[in-house]
Amino acid sequence: MDQAEKLRNIIKIQNQTRPGLARVITVTSGKGGVGKSSIALNLAVELRRMGKEVIIFDADFGLANIEVMFGAIPKYNLADLIYKGKNIQDILMEGPYGVKFVSGGSGIAGLVNLTREQVSFLGYKLRELESMADVIIVDTGAGISDSVLEFVSLSSEVLLITTPEPTSITDSYALLKALSSKDGFRRENIVIKMVANRVSGREDGVNLFRKLHMVVDKFLHVNLEWLGYVPFDGHVSKAIMQQKPVTAAFPGAASSKAIQNLAYRLSEQDRDGMRRRGISQIIWKLFKVKE
């Protein structure tokens, strides 16, 4: 029996039962250095504190921001799942505070060379995550590369992290413009919520949202919603140096309280009727494989 036949048999067995879909929240930004991974990590910690089972899927391939912030080095990553016969339990690492995460690893660049059977196998294996978590937070790479745009376009719920820097605003707009121009994009299929990061306060954050929303509403066919803000806070950089989430290292800090509020709002917005697309469905569609 060749490898392709083995993969097909595994897929056939695993396809007999389909676990429920976890809520997938994709966190992205138009440029690097805006605090995207920090917010993704801290939201995961806060949602876990609220009783949710949370897994971070680190799709910022090759940079390993999440594991560095956690102060944890995973033994295996997605490449080991595909090429070395590891299972989900092997690559799923238990991070601090009860949050688990999956590292993409630099080897994931080889995904472009996968066979159809290997991509299908990856999708079915990742489907196991959907029965292990209530929420899967996907931390994408920054910018408007093809891989980021593909992941965002296939997600049903997206958090767009933006700061008051002019380059962050223009790059956030550029990301939304590129997204709206993609073939098959439907604004009704995706909810994009903006988080204003490193602002002086709520008013500053709302003004930042209004500024971006005004041009988006005028020129693009994209629904952009307001989620909330995180103020500029020196405790964030201190926590990163300690390789701890700021909400754990400094729970009373202004940034921690703001992230707690974001997590609460996300939890309140979680409705059974919300259209969901699981992480495995994203992978299948990413590589144009039919379920």
Side-chain angles (χ1 to χ4, degrees):
M1 183 183 296
D2 62 13
Q3 184 184 31
E5 182 64 27
K6 289 180 181 178
L7 290 176
R8 283 192 289 269
N9 288 340
I10 293 173
I11 291 170
K12 188 180 298 182
I13 293 171
Q14 292 187 342
N15 196 33
Q16 292 174 356
T17 59
R18 180 176 179 83
L21 289 179
R23 181 184 185 186
V24 177
I25 301 174
T26 299
V27 184
T28 193
S29 61
K31 67 184 292 290
V34 300
K36 170 184 58 64
S37 295
S38 176
I39 287 179
L41 172 60
N42 281 280
L43 281 175
V45 170
E46 287 307 306
L47 289 170
R48 181 70 189 98
R49 282 177 170 170
M50 297 169 68
K52 307 287 187 182
E53 290 294 334
V54 185
I55 295 174
I56 301 178
F57 185 89
D58 189 354
D60 195 354
F61 304 134
L63 294 183
N65 286 338
I66 294 296
E67 57 199 67
V68 170
M69 290 181 181
F70 255 152
I73 301 176
K75 189 174 182 180
Y76 303 111
N77 57 43
L78 277 182
D80 297 302
L81 179 73
I82 302 167
Y83 300 113
K84 298 183 180 179
K86 300 301 178 181
N87 57 40
I88 286 293
Q89 285 72 24
D90 292 325
I91 69 169
L92 187 62
M93 183 165 184
E94 179 85 34
Y97 319 105
V99 175
K100 300 179 178 68
F101 71 95
V102 172
S103 171
S106 57
I108 205 64
L111 278 178
V112 295
N113 298 316
L114 292 183
T115 65
R116 185 183 187 281
E117 286 80 10
Q118 285 174 321
V119 174
S120 296
F121 175 71
L122 174 61
Y124 279 106
K125 295 300 288 185
L126 288 179
R127 193 159 69 171
E128 294 180 35
L129 293 179
E130 295 162 9
S131 64
M132 299 177 183
D134 300 305
V135 181
I136 297 174
I137 294 181
V138 178
D139 181 32
T140 73
I144 56 174
S145 66
D146 289 341
S147 60
V148 171
L149 283 174
E150 287 289 347
F151 227 116
V152 172
S153 67
L154 293 170
S155 303
S156 53
E157 187 173 7
V158 175
L159 302 189
L160 175 63
I161 313 302
T162 309
T163 71
E165 297 176 6
T167 51
S168 177
I169 300 171
T170 56
D171 287 343
S172 290
Y173 177 80
L175 185 149
L176 295 175
K177 181 179 180 180
L179 181 64
S180 67
S181 301
K182 283 189 64 63
D183 290 339
F185 174 79
R186 296 290 182 271
R187 62 188 297 176
E188 64 272 13
N189 291 342
I190 181 171
V191 177
I192 303 173
K193 304 169 184 178
M194 197 194 93
V195 175
N197 193 29
R198 299 175 187 163
V199 293
S200 60
R202 186 181 189 281
E203 183 178 357
D204 191 19
V206 171
N207 287 338
L208 176 58
F209 169 74
R210 287 174 176 168
K211 184 183 299 184
L212 182 59
H213 182 266
M214 181 176 64
V215 292
V216 167
D217 191 53
K218 184 176 182 179
F219 298 109
L220 305 180
H221 297 290
V222 176
N223 293 320
L224 183 64
E225 300 179 1
W226 164 254
L227 182 65
Y229 74 101
V230 179
F232 180 84
D233 184 356
H235 289 99
V236 175
S237 57
K238 290 180 181 179
I240 291 174
M241 292 299 293
Q242 295 178 18
Q243 292 184 293
K244 295 181 179 179
V246 68
T247 54
F250 305 101
S255 56
S256 296
K257 292 180 179 178
I259 292 170
Q260 290 163 11
N261 185 53
L262 292 178
Y264 176 79
R265 293 194 66 182
L266 283 174
S267 183
E268 284 291 293
Q269 292 171 5
D270 188 16
R271 298 290 182 265
D272 291 337
M274 178 182 290
R275 177 187 175 279
R276 289 182 175 177
R277 177 172 285 163
I279 191 72
S280 57
Q281 291 175 299
I282 292 175
I283 292 295
W284 281 319
K285 290 183 179 295
L286 193 63
F287 294 94
K288 310 297 188 297
V289 173
K290 293 184 178 179
E291 185 175 352

